[in-house]
Amino acid sequence: MSTRAFAAHSATTPLSPMTITRREPMPSDVEIEILFCGVCHSDLHFARNEWGMTTYPLVPGHEILGRVSRVGNKVTKFKVGDLAAVGCLVDSCRSCSSCTRGLEQFCLTGAVFTYGWPDKHSGGMTYGGYSEKIVCDEAFTLKVPTNLDPARAAPLLCAGITTYSPLRKWGAGKGKKVGVVGLGGLGHMGVKFAHAMGAHTVLFTTSEGKIADGKRLGADEVIISKNADAMARHAGSFDMILDTVSADHDLNAYLALLKLDGSLVVVGAPPNPQPVNVFSLLMPRRNLAGSLIGGIAETQEMLDFCGRHNVACDIELIRMQQINEAYERMLKSDVKYRFVIDMASLKG
Ligand code: NAP
Ligand code: ZN
Ligand code: ZN
C-alpha cells in the first residue's frame, strides 16, 4: 500500500517528501489514518544520526494519533472510525520476562521501535508517523479517551508516558518534593503530571521567559538553573528530580539537590557522555537512574489518567512542510511546548 510520508535521507539534508509502502492489514492489524503526529526531540536526534544508529531513509514520528480505517478479521479492540494511537513501540516477543511484566520496551529478544528499526514484515526498517497511514498490531495500538482534543493528546504517546512512568515508579505524590529539569515537550508533561499526582513540583529551566508558563502548567516553584544561589537554597531537599534535558548539562548540580536516598532520574538523551562526580552520589547516599518510555499497559493507564484528569499537551500545530523549521526552533528551546503535525497538510 503506497503511503505519502516525509523522510530524512541523510544526517545533513532537510526532511523531504517520500512515498513509502505499508503492509496490507493482517488478521490482528489495525490500519490508522493518521490525523496528528507529535514532534519529539528524539526524532531530531535520530534524523541527524546523533546517536549513531540511524539507517536512511528515516521516517520519524512516534506520537501517532488517528482514526481506524480498516481492521483485520481477528481484531477485537477496535472498529472502523475509532480513535487510535501508536507510540514508540510496534512489537516485541511478548513472552520474555520483560514482556510478561508489561515492560515491552525492555524486551530481551528485541522490542520493535516505531521507526528506524528492523521490520520483519517488510524486511526493511519500520517507518514512523510523519505519514498518512500506519498499520500496527492491535496489541500495540492504544485507545484514546474521547474527551481529549486529539491534536493535544498525540504527544502523550511519548512525552506523556516517558514522564508519567518514572514519576509513578519513583513515587511522585503527596508529601514529595519533585523537580523537573527542562521545560520542553517532556518537561511540560512532567510538570503537569507531578502536579496532578499531588507532589510539590519545582521546575528548573534555563529560559527566563518560561517562568510564568511553568507556574501556569503546575509548578509550585520555578528555578533558573543558571542562578547558583537559587540552586544552593534547595540543596539536599528533593525526593526525586526528573531530568529531560536534550543537550550537555551538569548532572552534579542536580544530584547536590537530592536528600538522602533521593533519585535523579534521567530521561533526556544527550548524545555525549555526561560526567558524574561520584562524591555527588556518596554523600548523602543518592541514586542516579534512567527510564525509557513505558510499556503498553502503562501507556494505556497514562492515557486513561489523562482522560479522567483532563490532562493534555500544550501544542503548536504545524504543517508537515514546516518540519525542518520546527527542528531548528526545537534546538533553540523555542517550542511551547510540543510541535504537532496536522497530517491533513501532507495530502494538500
Ligand atoms: P525539547 O522539547 O527540545 O526539550 C528539551 C528542553 O531541555 C528544552 O526545552 C530546554 O528547557 C532544555 N535544554 C535544552 N538544551 C539545554 C542545555 N544545553 N542546557 C540545559 N537545558 C537545556 O525535547 P523533548 O522532546 O522534551 O526531549 C528531551 C530529551 O528526552 C531528548 O534528548 C529526547 O531524545 C529524550 N527522550 C527520551 C525518552 C526516553 O524514553 N528516555 C523519550 C523521549 C525523549 P528550558 O528552556 O526549560 O531550559
Ligand atoms: Zn519521543
Ligand atoms: Zn520480550
Side-chain angles (χ1 to χ4, degrees), residues 41-42 45 183 185-186 205-207 210 244 267-269 291 293 338:
H41 207 116
S42 302
H45 290 309
L183 196 67
L186 267 57
T205 177
T206 58
S207 308
K210 294 181 183 173
T244 76
V267 289
S291 187
I293 52 173
R338 193 58 135 188

Side-chain angles (χ1 to χ4, degrees), residues 292-306:
L292 183 78
I293 52 173
I296 295 300
E298 194 176 36
T299 304
Q300 190 63 61
E301 175 192 309
M302 178 274 310
L303 286 166
D304 297 344
F305 176 96
C306 290

Side-chain angles (χ1 to χ4, degrees), residues 191-249:
V191 168
K192 287 191 189 207
F193 283 136
H195 174 75
M197 291 172 190
H200 181 85
T201 305
V202 181
L203 167 68
F204 297 94
T205 177
T206 58
S207 308
E208 305 215 359
K210 294 181 183 173
I211 294 175
D213 277 349
K215 292 197 172 145
R216 175 180 59 80
L217 293 165
D220 298 289
E221 298 177 67
V222 179
I223 297 171
I224 300 297
S225 51
K226 291 178 271 196
N227 180 336
D229 291 341
M231 294 287 278
R233 280 198 286 279
H234 290 265
S237 69
F238 281 86
D239 294 285
M240 173 189 183
I241 299 179
L242 183 65
D243 181 345
T244 76
V245 175
S246 51
D248 291 343
H249 62 297

Side-chain angles (χ1 to χ4, degrees), residues 97-155:
S97 56
S98 296
C99 287
T100 51
R101 286 175 62 197
L103 297 168
E104 295 88 349
Q105 74 273 37
F106 305 122
C107 175
L108 298 176
T109 54
V112 183
F113 289 87
T114 303
Y115 60 74
W117 223 256
D119 180 3
K120 69 177 180 205
H121 300 287
S122 69
M125 305 301 270
T126 53
Y127 289 131
Y130 295 6
S131 58
E132 280 176 294
K133 285 181 188 155
I134 190 164
V135 175
C136 184
D137 192 300
E138 70 165 333
F140 286 76
T141 306
L142 287 308
K143 289 194 168 282
V144 181
T146 49
N147 59 317
L148 298 179
D149 173 348
R152 295 185 57 206

Side-chain angles (χ1 to χ4, degrees), residues 36-40 61-65 86-87 154-159 338:
F36 300 104
C37 183
V39 179
C40 179
H62 56 206
E63 296 181 336
I64 301 165
L65 191 148
V86 177
L156 295 174
L157 277 299
C158 177
R338 193 58 135 188

Side-chain angles (χ1 to χ4, degrees), residues 1 21 25 81 119 180 217 322 333:
M1 186 184 11
T21 304
D119 180 3
V180 176
L217 293 165
Q322 293 173 285
S333 303

